[in-house]
Amino acid sequence: MSLRVHFQYVGKLAEELLEEADLTNTPLEYRYRTALREKETHVRKTLDLLKQKNHDPDNLLNAISIVYKSDEVEKLHFNGWKRLCQQNKTIKEEVLSKLETKFSRMKTELEEAVPYVKSIAKGHKDSRIIVPALYRD
Amino acid sequence: MTGKENIPDANVEANENVDHWVHSTCNLCSIGCGCEIGVKDDKIVGIKGEVSHSINMGKLDPKAKDQWYANYSKDRLLTPMVRNENGELEKATWEEAMDLMVEQAKKTLKNKGPDGFSIYSTGQGFLEDFYTIAKVGRAGIGTHLLDANTRLCTATTEWCLLQSFGSDGVPASFEDFDHAETVMLFGHNPAETGTVLFDRIMERKNRTGKPYLIVVDPRETASAKEADLHLSLKPGTNAALLNGIIRQIISDGNIDRDYISRNTIEFNSMRNSIEEWTLAKTSAMTGIPEEQLTLAAKVLGETPSLVSTTLQGAFQSSDATTACVAINNLHLMRGLIGKPGCGPFHMAGQPSSSGNRTVGGVGTYPGNRNPANPDHLNEMAELWNIDAEKLEIGPEKGIMKQIEMIENDKISFFWNIHTNPLVSLPNRQRAKKALEKAFVVVQDPFLTETTEVADIVLPPAMWGEKEGTMENADRTINLLRKAVEPPEGVKSDFEILVEFSNRMGFKDKDGNPLIQYTTPEEAFEEWKKVSKGRPSDMSGMTYELLEKEKGIRWPATEDKPEGTTRLYEDQTFPTNIDYCQSFGKDPITGRPKTKAEFQQKNADGRAIFQPTYYFGSPEMPQDEYPFWLNTGRLLWHWHTRTKTARSKKLEEKAPRAYVEMNEDDAYSLRINQDDLVRVTSPRGEIQLPVHVDNRINQGEVFIPFHYGNWDGEQSANEMTMDVVDPVSHQPILKQAVCKVEKIS
Ligand code: SF4
């Protein structure tokens, strides 16, 4: 496994989620989808940079950092949105749980990618700046 | 002020001859009124306003005058309690309680690591306690899960200031109210919360006709009744209203172009974000007639001086940070900041919530240090003489995130200091269920709704029984001297924290105890060194000076110990990349920006205009739930009434919750005054009597949030929404949907 493999999978899941239409057209859904889109963009950017032989490590680490940080805020809004959907019974449980599975999987992938991020960051930056605490624990 | 200022407001027990008066500060709200505590035979027997205190000039409001009764309440806890095998709380010695606490804390650290441990504190403690929480939490435990009820109260203040100016610190001061031509109270009702401030505004207005008073509030509150212009907007439309007004001011040409180009960045990005907000669109969204919007834009666009306050109507609403940032934008584009009578004044609710933010008991690192800047962390490590790796990076996690983490078994130790989340948190049944899973320590003088889930209850000393400082809403540090000894069997928060640290064996790099100070004053002296060179520099303060000067506003450096009335008089903002407290967050998602992104802005001492996109409430009235639910305070009570309900007089004034409803709505539901109704939201339901009152608009109901014991008191937070603002993570407590049905 490598950072590339984990990020590719995250990118694929993010794309799948973004391809689905808005379900409620509400602020929380808009916010989590915006974060998801930003994450997807920076996953692609990371993968492009990884392909380049002489990539700028700061540039690469910045993109990786945005991926993690987007993932973290996207979960906050997704979970809030999911709760409101459940409380208001606006979306079926099966639909919500399918979405949740994908969101959780992305987090797991990012957690598993941490050792690779650490090795890229070594000598450049404290990897704790790149990867939020709750992905490292 | 009139000649009346020499007669202080007071409440002294009849027939008591006070032995002596002790310098103190009101411990209820963020105005920070100076007072003196009357003592006889080592017992508090009264309180009076401090006439020479520049903030209140002897005034105290009704609840403040009764705040000492709780100290002598018969149900006060005088010994720790521990939950036994039968699930009941039983009395324990301090030794037993602390042993158990330390054993569980060590178990948590071993099994879950530092982030299995959370401290949830308060805005009602002392700066020295908060600083110790920061040190024990960050450098001892190593957790970044430090939050407080300030999340419900002032998290948005902090974040709107970080976004616009690069650092916390309210720019204006209470003095500016005495000079402002216009005052805008935005979602702020001081006539029923911090009444001393409202009296100060109205006394001048009655005498001179100034300031022109604008009040923004969906309800016709006691403050709104006195306004020259009351903008009664629909719930959840704060950001829309400000966008419309700001756009109009720009198109009227009422902006200070020189100021904008010299001292700010990203004006165009802000302007583009509000381009669609014509007055017609704003009127349709907010429900405010166009003529009123035009008038508001004219007054705010032409006034030579302006103080704009915000409080929970802004902070606990949807788009909270956006609305507060829009107010900063308004002041910046008019150049109305850093001058007498000018500045945004984002309030705090509690008496020292600002102090908790300043010293790092909640939020970022002490002294407005940036948790994403390794240099700041290295500096802290050096100051605390510990390894920098011990200090966790990144912004804190708010209480709603922590509840999620407890639900998912990530946090297993929850230390709750001086707050009552099982009345104050939204969707409280969910919060209760979560806290039942964790090991919970509650530090509180009384059994509360939250001690129902506590494994240990520690009884702390109360106001008047301990020494320390508090920071009010305008950066004033006030001293509170100890007036009497605490009753036997209790310890101060400060003593509990230091004892916990020592029992945990927390050490610095040289093997010395992590906490080496032993008194609050020594803690303050250490904190001063930590604050040096930072925006909240207090190195010029001493306890003696604080008492003598009746409070000093930070920054107060060694060269300028008299402090600073208002920030940014030189129009230099703390946005230098190496100095700023935060690299900011994305306004839509709240994603923390990286250093590289902040660097690209090149703010470097200039304030930052932020875009202000309007989103509105995540929940909207619908067929099943046709009403908006709004919650808030009453004049007579503070928070969850742990103190005010113990004053007979205050409790008699407002003994129970009710739902306020417009006459037309009541009529259409065939509901009369005092009828019992059931109010139901998608999260829960409560039953309570109706107050029919046209100060609330049709389609909206209001319920005070102070109530909620588990024995049938009706809690508004059975129904509120458990979602948060993307930037400040403050819960949206003021908008939820509900229905109302008559029972009897
Ligand atoms: S305004 Fe606030 S600080 Fe002043 S007396 Fe009233 S409650 Fe206390």
Side-chain angles (χ1 to χ4, degrees):
Chain A
M1 288 295 236
S2 65
L3 183 72
R4 187 183 56 79
V5 174
H6 288 298
F7 268 46
Q8 255 173 356
Y9 198 55
V10 172
K12 179 179 161 287
L13 290 171
E15 233 172 53
E16 282 173 22
L17 284 163
L18 285 167
E19 270 164 19
E20 294 187 24
D22 277 9
L23 294 168
T24 57
N25 205 10
T26 52
L28 285 171
E29 187 176 32
Y30 186 85
R31 292 191 203 280
Y32 88 66
R33 285 178 71 89
T34 305
L36 188 61
R37 200 167 297 115
E38 189 172 37
K39 181 171 76 178
E40 200 259 347
T41 306
H42 285 85
V43 163
R44 299 285 155 227
K45 186 172 177 189
T46 304
L47 293 170
D48 283 349
L49 286 168
L50 283 171
K51 274 188 218 149
Q52 295 169 18
K53 270 201 185 114
N54 297 320
H55 61 251
D56 171 5
D58 283 342
N59 212 355
L60 176 65
L61 289 168
N62 190 50
I64 294 173
S65 181
I66 293 175
V67 169
Y68 278 92
K69 289 176 169 127
S70 300
D71 190 78
E72 192 163 35
V73 295
E74 152 208 307
K75 296 282 177 297
L76 183 78
H77 303 313
F78 172 73
N79 289 341
W81 174 80
K82 191 181 128 208
R83 276 197 298 277
L84 287 194
C85 289
Q86 288 169 323
Q87 291 160 1
N88 285 278
K89 301 186 182 66
T90 41
I91 304 290
K92 284 198 184 115
E93 272 301 328
E94 307 93 79
V95 177
L96 294 174
S97 102
K98 248 166 114 181
L99 292 175
E100 172 137 52
T101 307
K102 289 188 179 174
F103 278 107
S104 308
R105 186 59 203 260
M106 287 190 287
K107 180 162 194 262
T108 309
E109 291 293 328
L110 291 177
E111 283 167 347
E112 287 172 2
V114 171
Y116 305 105
V117 178
K118 279 186 179 165
S119 66
I120 293 173
K122 210 168 173 187
H124 293 288
K125 249 193 189 113
D126 184 347
S127 63
R128 301 185 309 155
I129 297 276
I130 316 293
V131 180
L134 299 182
Y135 291 72
R136 289 184 258 119
D137 289 345
Chain B
M1 299 291 274
T2 62
K4 280 193 212 147
E5 65 265 34
N6 289 326
I7 308 164
D9 287 332
N11 175 18
V12 186
E13 291 250 294
N15 305 321
E16 293 281 0
N17 293 315
V18 171
D19 291 339
H20 58 277
W21 292 94
V22 178
H23 176 84
S24 191
T25 307
C26 175
N27 191 218
L28 291 178
C29 93
S30 68
I31 308 297
C33 297
C35 65
E36 290 183 288
I37 300 175
V39 178
K40 184 175 170 56
D41 301 331
D42 200 29
K43 195 171 175 254
I44 301 175
V45 292
I47 182 172
K48 68 177 179 192
E50 171 64 76
V51 174
S52 58
H53 199 290
S54 70
I55 284 171
N56 60 316
M57 290 157 272
K59 301 269 179 225
L60 293 176
D61 77 16
K63 57 188 175 292
K65 285 189 279 189
D66 277 15
Q67 66 188 290
W68 51 281
Y69 289 131
N71 291 49
Y72 299 105
S73 181
K74 286 203 174 68
D75 60 347
R76 182 157 175 200
L77 296 177
L78 298 175
T79 172
M81 304 193 84
V82 168
R83 199 164 292 281
N84 65 20
E85 282 168 0
N86 301 325
E88 292 153 357
L89 284 174
E90 65 179 17
K91 287 182 181 171
T93 63
W94 277 97
E95 201 58 28
E96 288 163 344
M98 293 303 289
D99 273 353
L100 179 61
M101 184 177 179
V102 166
E103 182 193 315
Q104 286 292 331
K106 285 185 173 166
K107 205 158 108 187
T108 299
L109 288 181
K110 186 163 169 254
N111 296 340
K112 295 240 155 87
D115 285 337
F117 196 113
S118 136
I119 303 180
Y120 184 61
S121 68
T122 177
Q124 296 179 47
F126 290 174
L127 181 146
E128 296 76 3
D129 307 334
F130 302 144
Y131 174 69
T132 308
I133 288 173
K135 195 167 179 182
V136 171
R138 298 277 197 181
I141 297 162
T143 182
H144 73 309
L145 302 175
L146 302 180
D147 203 31
N149 60 12
T150 56
R151 184 70 48 192
L152 315 178
C153 159
T154 62
T156 302
T157 291
E158 176 182 27
W159 274 100
C160 78
L161 295 169
L162 296 180
Q163 294 281 88
S164 300
F165 309 126
S167 171
D168 201 347
V170 170
S173 79
F174 286 123
E175 267 183 53
D176 289 310
F177 287 86
D178 303 337
H179 305 295
E181 291 284 323
T182 304
V183 167
M184 173 163 68
L185 306 175
F186 199 105
H188 179 199
N189 177 20
E192 291 172 85
T193 53
T195 62
V196 172
L197 171 63
F198 196 66
D199 289 349
R200 180 171 179 162
I201 298 168
M202 291 312 296
E203 188 278 327
R204 174 176 169 234
K205 187 165 176 59
N206 291 334
R207 193 164 36 87
T208 66
K210 289 176 181 175
Y212 185 92
L213 189 61
I214 301 176
V215 173
V216 180
D217 201 306
R219 294 162 72 221
E220 194 189 18
T221 58
S223 305
K225 277 194 171 64
E226 302 296 335
D228 296 292
L229 178 60
H230 172 206
L231 300 174
S232 172
L233 73 182
K234 286 185 195 163
T237 62
N238 290 340
L241 171 65
L242 285 160
N243 284 349
I245 291 173
I246 290 173
R247 181 186 180 279
Q248 189 59 37
I249 293 173
I250 296 171
S251 58
D252 289 345
N254 284 328
I255 55 173
D256 187 337
R257 288 180 198 284
D258 275 358
Y259 183 90
I260 292 169
S261 68
R262 264 199 321 270
N263 303 306
T264 69
I265 60 167
E266 303 196 342
F267 174 74
N268 286 336
S269 131
M270 182 278 286
R271 185 170 54 187
N272 294 341
S273 75
I274 61 172
E275 200 37 56
E276 64 186 290
W277 289 97
T278 60
L279 288 188
K281 179 173 171 158
T282 307
S283 173
M285 185 62 74
T286 60
I288 299 171
E290 270 191 59
E291 311 78 70
Q292 283 192 12
L293 295 173
T294 307
L295 177 59
K298 184 173 161 51
V299 173
L300 293 168
E302 293 177 1
T303 184
S305 54
L306 169 69
V307 172
S308 308
T309 67
T310 53
L311 197 57
Q312 307 310 350
F315 306 160
Q316 294 179 347
S317 285
S318 35
D319 300 312
T321 309
T322 300
C324 294
V325 150
I327 284 177
N328 297 341
N329 289 344
L330 167 65
H331 280 264
L332 288 170
M333 72 186 202
R334 296 231 43 238
L336 299 179
I337 185 168
K339 298 195 279 205
C342 292
F345 197 125
H346 304 290
M347 296 284 301
Q350 303 172 80
S352 60
S353 44
S354 315
N356 205 348
R357 302 197 313 264
T358 301
V359 302
V362 57
T364 62
Y365 272 85
N368 320 100
R369 284 184 175 82
N370 185 346
N373 183 340
D375 293 340
H376 286 199
L377 268 58
N378 288 337
E379 210 176 18
M380 278 315 307
E382 212 165 290
L383 285 158
W384 284 345
N385 192 27
I386 56 160
D387 287 325
E389 293 77 59
K390 182 83 189 176
L391 299 177
E392 188 49 276
I393 282 167
E396 77 287 1
K397 300 285 173 288
I399 182 65
M400 299 316 292
K401 176 71 189 174
Q402 290 192 20
I403 293 289
E404 249 178 58
M405 290 177 70
I406 298 170
E407 286 174 331
N408 297 326
D409 293 320
K410 301 278 186 211
I411 293 175
S412 57
F413 193 113
F414 186 79
W415 187 356
N416 179 90
I417 301 176
H418 267 312
T419 182
N420 191 8
L422 292 189
V423 178
S424 57
L425 285 185
N427 194 4
R428 70 165 182 162
Q429 292 290 353
R430 173 179 165 230
K432 181 169 188 250
K433 235 171 154 178
L435 290 184
E436 280 165 353
K437 293 181 80 175
F439 188 86
V440 177
V441 177
V442 174
Q443 214 154 293
D444 203 291
F446 301 101
L447 290 177
T448 66
E449 292 71 17
T450 305
T451 58
E452 294 274 318
V453 298
D455 295 281
I456 298 176
V457 183
L458 301 174
M462 294 178 72
W463 173 84
E465 301 166 353
K466 54 185 183 174
E467 186 161 70
T469 57
M470 297 198 304
E471 179 183 332
N472 78 347
D474 80 346
R475 294 170 283 105
T476 300
I477 302 296
N478 279 308
L479 179 68
L480 299 91
R481 291 283 188 198
K482 187 190 215 178
V484 295
E485 285 303 319
E488 207 174 310
V490 310
K491 297 186 184 196
S492 70
D493 297 305
F494 179 80
E495 287 166 337
I496 295 168
L497 285 156
V498 174
E499 183 175 341
F500 173 78
S501 180
N502 289 336
R503 281 173 177 260
M504 288 295 287
F506 294 144
K507 299 266 195 282
D508 69 10
K509 263 197 318 204
D510 298 327
N512 296 316
L514 178 68
I515 309 289
Q516 290 173 32
Y517 46 76
T518 57
T519 65
E521 190 164 4
E522 284 172 18
F524 189 78
E525 288 300 315
E526 179 176 309
W527 150 250
K528 278 164 55 180
K529 289 183 200 137
V530 170
S531 76
K532 202 169 174 172
R534 297 298 304 159
S536 52
D537 194 325
M538 297 186 200
S539 53
M541 296 181 187
T542 62
Y543 269 22
E544 205 187 328
L545 209 53
L546 288 170
E547 180 166 359
K548 186 168 156 249
E549 298 298 326
K550 310 286 187 290
I552 298 172
R553 291 186 187 91
W554 62 255
T557 58
E558 282 157 320
D559 296 342
K560 201 185 164 206
E562 69 276 17
T564 308
T565 302
R566 67 189 63 80
L567 299 179
Y568 314 134
E569 285 185 312
D570 63 355
Q571 304 303 337
T572 302
F573 297 88
T575 51
N576 175 283
I577 194 156
D578 298 319
Y579 188 68
C580 66
Q581 188 179 350
S582 165
F583 298 136
K585 287 184 180 178
D586 180 275
I588 295 175
T589 64
R591 197 260 296 160
K593 299 272 187 186
T594 61
K595 185 177 181 182
E597 290 174 292
F598 190 75
Q599 200 151 26
Q600 266 174 10
K601 284 184 189 290
N602 191 25
D604 199 18
R606 290 171 294 169
I608 304 166
F609 277 105
Q610 294 282 345
T612 52
Y613 304 105
Y614 168 75
F615 282 85
S617 171
E619 199 169 76
M620 299 293 280
Q622 31 166 308
D623 289 348
E624 193 181 352
Y625 300 106
F627 285 96
W628 283 108
L629 168 66
N630 183 4
T631 67
R633 302 176 207 267
L634 299 175
L635 172 61
W636 311 104
H637 284 301
W638 193 247
H639 283 193
T640 65
R641 287 157 58 246
T642 30
K643 281 196 262 189
T644 50
R646 287 174 170 85
S647 151
K648 201 163 162 251
K649 202 165 68 202
L650 296 176
E651 189 58 0
E652 276 170 10
K653 293 274 188 197
R656 69 187 69 86
Y658 59 84
V659 53
E660 186 178 287
M661 185 176 222
N662 179 280
E663 193 178 15
D664 291 336
D665 286 331
Y667 181 74
S668 69
L669 293 169
R670 299 291 179 265
I671 291 169
N672 294 312
Q673 183 78 349
D674 296 326
D675 276 354
L676 191 66
V677 294
R678 180 184 302 112
V679 184
T680 311
S681 90
R683 289 152 290 279
E685 61 173 54
I686 59 174
Q687 297 181 7
L688 64 186
V690 168
H691 281 193
V692 178
D693 195 327
N694 282 343
R695 71 182 200 154
I696 192 155
N697 289 326
Q698 258 187 285
E700 299 166 27
V701 297
F702 170 84
I703 300 177
F705 64 51
H706 305 292
Y707 305 86
N709 71 19
W710 301 111
D711 294 331
E713 255 186 24
Q714 303 297 294
S715 166
N717 282 322
E718 297 276 337
M719 296 182 291
T720 42
M721 259 193 308
D722 42 352
V723 295
V724 300
D725 178 73
V727 177
S728 67
H729 295 184
Q730 185 150 355
I732 303 172
L733 287 152
K734 289 211 178 268
Q735 281 104 46
V737 296
C738 69
K739 63 181 170 191
V740 182
E741 299 158 294
K742 184 170 169 174
I743 295 175
S744 57

